[in-house]
Amino acid sequence: MGELPLDINIQEPRWDQSTFLGRARHFFTVTDPRNLLLSGAQLEASRNIVQNYRAGVVTPGLTEDQLWRAKYVYDSAFHPDTGEKVVLIGRMSAQVPMNMTITGCMLTFYRQTPTVVFWQWVNQSFNAVVNYSNRSGDAPITARQLGTAYVSATTGAVATALGLKSLTKHLPPLVGRFVPFAAVAAANCINIPLMRQRELQVGIPVTDEEGQRLGHSVAAAKQGIFQVVISRICMAIPAMAIPPVIMDTLEKKDFLKRRPWLGAPLQVGLVGFCLVFATPLCCALFPQRSVHLFVRQRQRGRGRERGRRGIPSRLQPLSCQHRARRRAQTHTLRDHDRSRSRTLNGLSHRGAQK
């Protein structure tokens, strides 16, 4: 067997990210909970394989499949910018087990106000840990931003949950089971834009087809953040809509009436089953990269600025050939969930908040 060639691009995902199937295969690998069971020695071995290969040194006897496996193990545990090992519950592979526990408890203990407040607080605290663990090198999350997003999202989630809880008192019990989902959706709409507020202010980096940075785009940031919110809400729908219907039916049966203690673990198990598929599939809804006519937008912006200053704009329309050469690729950021496949502004969609 010959030595493994050095032309394998392990900076990018293994599968074609322009197709939904390719993105889904990538995220099924990224969110694999079995990576949490790997020992420290196994993680260090994977890191050495990846770093040596990037330096042009091939580990003897290494196959391509082993290289890709080491890459995904490395990406699942180490921060792409700092190289530090990420805290266990902040890793993408922890999303399913952590979310199944928290979501299952939110759906089980939704009747009493103290338990509603407690589990919504636990949920947003977990999101804060994920956001901090996966902070960007290019656009780092400051302590003030993190605190503002944490307090705002927690307040919004608790207020939504308690408000809807009071409104559904006289409605069928099944309706009340969907209150946690509404609270989680509201928290996502608050938390994600606040966590990404710097991008909304200054934009995210865009590059040309050769990878050279051209500048920043606020429009691309808005598009990326909108997609993050949509994907995370979609991610919560199966886990927070299907189990309540099943549990509402089962709790009317004699089996659960005689064994009420089985309600919580059964609900957690149902949520986990849904999340195993919903997490990677919803992370794959949108591509990580999109084409953005950044140069044309930048020129229009300059033209408007010249008009405000009373300076005539001399920008001429670009020819089709020129537009094709100057077209820029924008990396739209998705923190759905952490993907370890890095975007140009240093953020990976690793933290799949609810």
Side-chain angles (χ1 to χ4, degrees), residues 11 75 113 149 152 206 228 288:
Q11 298 293 112
D75 286 350
T113 298
S152 301
V206 294
V228 172
Q288 291 175 265

Side-chain angles (χ1 to χ4, degrees), residues 19 30 64 92 104 147 160 200 203-204 240 246 271 309 319 325:
T19 66
V30 168
E64 183 173 352
M92 193 63 175
T160 303
L200 292 173
I204 57 175
M240 304 191 80
I246 296 175
V271 170
R309 296 180 181 178
S319 66
R325 288 200 303 267

Side-chain angles (χ1 to χ4, degrees), residues 228-264:
V228 172
V229 173
I230 295 300
S231 62
R232 289 185 181 172
I233 291 176
C234 291
M235 194 184 301
I237 290 176
M240 304 191 80
I242 298 175
V245 176
I246 296 175
M247 291 301 299
D248 188 68
T249 302
L250 292 179
E251 287 179 357
K252 297 175 183 177
K253 306 294 184 182
D254 290 338
F255 178 78
L256 273 187
K257 286 182 178 179
R258 294 194 300 266
R259 304 170 181 84
W261 55 271
L262 279 176

Side-chain angles (χ1 to χ4, degrees), residues 34 95 101 114 146 152 166 198 207 226 248 260 265-266 280 285 292 303:
R34 293 175 296 179
Q95 290 300 301
T101 303
L146 186 65
S152 301
S166 64
R198 175 174 169 79
T207 66
F226 175 76
D248 188 68
L266 184 57
L285 284 177
H292 188 67

Side-chain angles (χ1 to χ4, degrees), residues 14 40 61 88 116 127 142 150 167 198 257 262 264 295 301 312 332:
R14 185 175 189 178
L88 194 68
V116 169
N127 288 339
T142 65
Y150 172 59
L167 293 175
R198 175 174 169 79
K257 286 182 178 179
L262 279 176
V295 173
T332 58

Side-chain angles (χ1 to χ4, degrees), residues 133-186:
S133 299
N134 299 283
R135 60 198 183 278
S136 167
D138 268 3
I141 303 171
T142 65
R144 182 175 181 179
Q145 289 175 327
L146 186 65
T148 301
Y150 172 59
V151 172
S152 301
T154 303
T155 302
V158 170
T160 303
L162 295 181
L164 292 178
K165 178 176 175 293
S166 64
L167 293 175
T168 58
K169 283 182 179 179
H170 305 294
L171 296 177
L174 180 59
V175 177
R177 291 179 179 272
F178 292 101
V179 169
F181 168 70
V184 166

Side-chain angles (χ1 to χ4, degrees), residues 18-19 30 63 79 81 90-91 148 209 228 233 257 273 288 293 316-317 333 340:
S18 65
T19 66
V30 168
T63 66
H79 194 282
D81 295 329
R91 301 174 189 174
T148 301
E209 294 176 349
V228 172
I233 291 176
K257 286 182 178 179
F273 178 78
Q288 291 175 265
L293 295 179
Q316 300 297 324
L333 307 180
R340 306 298 308 199

